[in-house]
């Protein structure tokens, strides 16, 4: 609205140290734990106070976590919105309270909250591109012909929405690449295993799996093996993140490839806030570069993974 534009974003004084909030979505997988550790390590290094909350997988709790940070008058809030819509109001509430918000990793619905108006910027990966890169590798690997089961991430989250779109857009050009089932495993290993078990019964002719993250790919591998199938031989899997267990699964020949989704936000997040305080123009999006892991580099990348 014009009023919001006129008001602009909250000012942040240049200080030696800040008290900042980090509202995490949950801690149910190595990616989440690595993201949190990176934020805690950077806060410690800079001597800033970090008010950390864990929404334990509940968008509603994450909204109340942001409320509590506003009440504690933190200088700024780093937020990884678990789902695109429910957290938009929390972002606007923080801005109305004069607290700048930087979105990390996940985004809010752009029709509900805007960069440069309601929040400072989004720092994270290009999820559409991650989906495209997974599709490109799988299409080549399968010579353009596969019966695909897709395990989607958390319903309503920007990575799940965009990874699905990126993959689907790419395979549109290859009629032989068919998604026969697509269901959420909520980015979780055990849920991914359960969903894969069910979908495998309905589609015993599956030849490929696209998982929106490594945890669900690892769950799918367990389900395939429990059904007497050979992951990496009878069924080819591709996923996203690049966690240690996934690199090991590539080395073991069970996972085909994974697109990196870098969880280490700390240095860039805190540096962006300092630039903002100094009055520098911050772009609406700051995209992390993502590498690609397959049999050619998984071993060499193991030591720097999480
Ligand atoms: C992506 C991040 C996703 C990871 C999952 O940026 O939001 O959430 O890909 C994590 O592993 O749970």
């Amino acid at each position: 609205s014009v009023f919001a534009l006129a008001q602009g974003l909250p000012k942040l004084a240049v200080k030696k140290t800040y008290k900042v909030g980090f509202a995490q979505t949950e801690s149910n997988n190595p990616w989440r734990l690595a993201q949190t550790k990176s934020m805690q390590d950077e806060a410690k290094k800079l001597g800033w106070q970090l008010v950390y909350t864990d929404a334990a997988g509940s968008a509603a709790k994450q909204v109340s976590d942001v409320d509590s940070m506003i009440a504690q008058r933190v200088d700024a809030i780093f937020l990884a919105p678990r789902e695109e819509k429910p957290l938009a109001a929390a972002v606007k509430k923080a801005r109305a309270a004069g607290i700048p918000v930087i979105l990390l990793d996940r985004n809010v619905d752009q029709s509900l909250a805007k960069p440069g108006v309601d929040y400072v910027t989004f720092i994270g990966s290009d999820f559409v591109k991650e989906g495209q890169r997974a599709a490109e590798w799988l299409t080549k690997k399968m010579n353009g012909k596969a019966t695909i089961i897709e395990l989607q991430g958390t319903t309503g989250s920007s990575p799940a929405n965009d990874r699905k779109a990126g993959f689907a857009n790419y395979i549109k050009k290859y009629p032989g690449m068919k998604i026969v089932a697509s269901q959420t495993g909520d980015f979780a290993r055990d849920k991914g295993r359960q969903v894969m078990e069910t979908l495998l019964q309905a589609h015993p002719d599956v030849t490929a799996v696209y998982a929106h993250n490594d945890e669900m790919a690892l769950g799918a591998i367990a389900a395939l093996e429990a059904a007497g199938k050979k992951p990496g031989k009878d069924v080819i899997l591709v996923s996203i993140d690049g966690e240690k267990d996934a690199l090991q699964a590539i080395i073991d020949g069970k996972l085909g490839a994974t697109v990196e989704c870098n969880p280490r936000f700390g240095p860039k997040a805190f540096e962006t806030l300092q630039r903002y305080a100094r009055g520098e123009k911050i772009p609406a999006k700051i995209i992390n570069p993502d590498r690609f892991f397959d049999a050619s580099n998984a071993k060499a990348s193991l030591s720097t993974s999480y």
Side-chain angles (χ1 to χ4, degrees):
S1 73
V2 172
F3 177 70
L5 276 171
Q7 263 195 339
L9 286 166
K11 288 282 161 279
L12 179 66
V14 175
K15 300 198 288 188
K16 240 182 89 35
T17 64
Y18 292 97
K19 172 174 150 184
V20 294
F22 173 46
Q24 179 55 286
T25 61
E26 56 243 283
S27 302
N28 66 339
N29 89 40
W31 194 98
R32 291 279 144 207
L33 296 170
Q35 184 188 36
T36 297
K37 185 176 179 319
S38 171
M39 294 295 283
Q40 290 170 331
D41 290 352
E42 191 64 13
K44 210 149 99 215
K45 187 178 142 204
L46 296 175
W48 294 14
Q49 186 187 346
L50 186 70
V51 176
Y52 171 74
T53 58
D54 179 337
S58 154
K61 181 177 181 305
Q62 196 175 32
V63 170
S64 66
D65 289 343
V66 172
D67 277 345
S68 80
M69 289 177 183
I70 294 170
Q72 294 176 62
R73 298 306 310 162
V74 295
D75 294 312
I77 293 173
F78 291 110
L79 170 66
R82 188 170 194 273
E83 294 143 44
E84 288 186 332
K85 295 190 188 314
L87 272 300
V91 168
K92 295 172 86 86
K93 206 167 169 188
R95 205 200 72 46
I99 296 173
V101 172
I102 288 184
L103 299 183
L104 300 183
D105 155 48
R106 295 195 181 172
N107 218 328
V108 288
D109 183 310
Q110 297 294 289
S111 68
L112 301 174
K114 299 222 174 317
V117 176
D118 301 300
Y119 60 91
V120 176
T121 187
F122 162 85
I123 305 174
S125 292
D126 179 338
F127 302 128
V128 172
K129 202 160 155 218
E130 291 174 339
Q132 277 162 358
R133 291 172 79 180
E136 185 182 2
W137 180 87
L138 189 64
T139 302
K140 279 204 189 78
K141 180 76 181 174
M142 305 302 285
N143 301 314
K145 199 171 168 1
T147 302
I148 306 164
I149 285 177
E150 178 181 25
L151 299 175
Q152 294 182 38
T154 298
T155 303
S157 69
S158 52
N161 291 339
D162 294 351
R163 288 171 182 171
K164 182 169 173 36
F167 187 93
N169 293 343
Y170 186 90
I171 63 168
K172 253 194 311 222
K173 303 187 292 269
Y174 301 90
M177 297 292 283
K178 286 191 175 20
I179 295 178
V180 292
S182 180
Q183 209 174 313
T184 183
D186 203 19
F187 282 134
R189 189 177 301 205
D190 204 48
K191 189 90 170 51
R193 184 186 54 75
Q194 290 164 21
V195 169
M196 185 65 199
E197 258 168 25
T198 309
L199 296 181
L200 189 52
Q201 276 153 23
H203 302 278
D205 56 338
V206 62
T207 60
V209 172
Y210 166 46
H212 289 186
N213 83 331
D214 294 335
E215 284 296 289
M216 295 188 294
L218 293 162
I221 285 168
L224 286 163
E225 290 178 325
K229 298 234 176 205
K230 283 195 177 25
K233 299 239 176 339
D234 311 329
V235 179
I236 302 297
L237 295 98
V238 65
S239 75
I240 297 168
D241 274 351
E243 70 171 85
K244 202 182 279 287
D245 285 357
L247 298 181
Q248 190 55 55
I250 291 175
I251 293 163
D252 300 342
K254 296 183 178 177
L255 176 62
T258 183
V259 184
E260 181 181 38
C261 179
N262 194 326
R264 295 176 175 123
F265 283 80
K268 201 182 278 186
F270 285 65
E271 185 239 331
T272 302
L273 190 71
Q274 289 171 305
R275 287 174 48 210
Y276 176 70
R278 288 198 297 268
E280 287 181 34
K281 184 88 189 77
I282 308 296
K285 278 191 170 190
I286 300 174
I287 298 299
N288 295 335
D290 286 329
R291 292 171 292 174
F292 189 87
F293 301 115
D294 59 17
S296 71
N297 62 357
K299 208 172 181 65
S301 310
L302 209 50
S303 60
T304 59
S305 185
Y306 48 92

